[in-house]
Amino acid sequence: MEMYDNTNTAQKSFNENYLSEELLQAQWAEFIELKKVIAEIYLKKGGPITILDIGIGNARIVKHLYAIPEMWDMIELYDGTDNAETCVTLSRNTVKELNIEDKVTVYFLDAVNLNQLQKHYDLIITTWFTAGNFYPENFPFENYDLLSEKIDLSKNEKFDTIFTFAYKMLNTNGEILIGACYIDNENTRKKQELSYQRMGMTVITDAKDSFTATKERFWSQRFTKEKIYQYFKFVKPEKISFTQLDPYDYAMQVRIKK
């Protein structure tokens, strides 16, 4: 079962009543930066662009882009993937309600199988901390808090697989945009734990981990710039840039140019 297949916790993770102010503000901060990137690529291309949204969730980004005609006109095609049936249903319902099925398609697909799409895009995005959700296979959610050996994330094979495929799926001058990712520090770790506890979940990680996980199978990694460079070692460092999304080292956006 994937983390968002638990209907109760999935609904809470999209419900503002359960979300911390930091999470809510991170949504808007990354959306503001996303609009800038879309507009920049649109101008560079000289016409509407194609977008792939990895982990489309409840189609929040689609809904907000559609609400601004100037932004929506910059988009030729918008594909979304998700590996949780709950999210696929939510996003497909949103697309149907907005009557934008001519431009938006939602695929029930695990991101490790992105290559099955056999398509190329001008912009590939993951938003609102999704990039940190790609946990290693067979992670022991049931008893991780009882284990003495901690997981070493100097290498994350799932993350590597997903973004290697994503990079290969970019058109010339295309970009990957990691909309928001947690910055690895003690203050952010504590805020993550409080967020999950607020949703009624049980945290099974501590200060020794560079990620926060719960018994309910929620998992989110924190990153440093050095870790991003390490994960994207197939990209020249000058092609990777970072944007702080707040002044208190909670979240950053990562932009990878081909």
Side-chain angles (χ1 to χ4, degrees):
M1 184 176 73
E2 301 298 337
M3 54 191 287
Y4 283 98
D5 278 329
N6 183 318
T7 303
N8 180 48
T9 49
Q11 289 177 342
K12 286 181 179 178
S13 70
F14 296 131
N15 186 329
E16 292 190 3
N17 294 322
Y18 293 95
L19 300 179
S20 68
E21 195 62 33
E22 290 90 354
L23 281 172
L24 289 171
Q25 292 190 26
Q27 281 190 344
W28 285 111
E30 72 166 4
F31 186 67
I32 290 169
E33 296 302 322
L34 172 61
K35 288 192 293 182
K36 295 176 185 177
V37 172
I38 290 174
E40 184 178 322
I41 298 175
Y42 167 80
L43 290 172
K44 187 185 298 182
K45 183 179 179 181
I49 69 173
T50 55
I51 297 176
L52 172 64
D53 185 345
I54 302 173
I56 192 171
N58 63 349
R60 172 179 58 88
I61 295 296
V62 169
K63 185 176 181 180
H64 289 315
L65 287 173
Y66 174 73
I68 306 170
E70 293 86 349
M71 295 304 306
W72 197 240
D73 288 342
M74 294 181 189
I75 300 169
E76 174 187 351
L77 174 147
Y78 193 111
D79 286 344
T81 68
D82 214 292
N83 65 346
E85 291 188 37
T86 298
C87 293
V88 170
T89 299
L90 286 171
S91 56
R92 283 178 176 169
N93 287 342
T94 296
V95 171
K96 187 174 182 179
E97 289 167 8
L98 296 176
N99 193 27
I100 52 176
E101 294 160 297
D102 60 325
K103 188 179 287 191
V104 183
T105 303
V106 181
Y107 297 91
F108 179 42
L109 182 72
D110 193 305
V112 296
N113 298 315
L114 277 183
N115 60 325
Q116 291 182 7
L117 291 177
Q118 296 186 327
K119 299 175 74 172
H120 287 79
Y121 302 88
D122 299 310
L123 177 62
I124 297 178
I125 67 174
T126 61
T127 63
W128 205 39
F129 307 103
T130 297
N133 297 156
F134 302 133
Y135 56 83
E137 294 293 339
N138 302 316
F139 179 79
F141 285 97
E142 295 75 17
N143 64 344
Y144 183 74
D145 51 334
L146 304 177
L147 302 179
S148 57
E149 185 176 348
K150 297 298 182 178
I151 285 191
D152 175 17
L153 284 176
S154 57
K155 184 173 179 59
N156 183 334
E157 291 184 1
K158 183 178 285 189
F159 188 100
D160 287 347
T161 297
I162 291 167
F163 286 103
T164 298
F165 281 148
Y167 189 78
K168 291 178 179 178
M169 293 167 69
L170 291 174
N171 288 326
T172 303
N173 297 320
E175 299 189 27
I176 292 173
L177 187 71
I178 298 177
C181 57
Y182 292 113
I183 298 173
D184 192 15
N185 58 61
E186 183 67 5
N187 190 42
T188 298
R189 179 185 70 82
K190 291 178 179 178
K191 290 178 183 294
Q192 280 181 285
E193 290 184 356
L194 286 173
S195 294
Y196 286 138
Q197 290 165 350
R198 189 172 180 174
M199 295 179 206
M201 292 188 262
T202 302
V203 175
I204 56 175
T205 46
D206 57 33
K208 299 185 186 71
D209 298 295
S210 61
F211 60 95
T212 298
T214 74
K215 282 192 178 297
E216 293 76 15
R217 305 184 73 83
F218 269 59
W219 197 98
S220 196
Q221 183 178 354
R222 297 180 296 279
F223 298 88
T224 60
K225 290 181 180 180
E226 292 72 24
K227 184 62 66 66
I228 292 294
Y229 285 129
Q230 181 180 343
Y231 284 174
F232 286 94
K233 56 189 174 186
F234 52 89
V235 179
K236 293 180 179 179
E238 60 267 25
K239 294 284 190 179
I240 302 175
S241 59
F242 303 87
T243 300
Q244 291 284 124
L245 296 179
D246 52 66
Y248 40 88
D249 289 333
Y250 178 70
M252 63 182 175
Q253 181 185 76
V254 185
R255 191 171 174 179
I256 298 104
K257 297 183 179 182
K258 191 165 187 177

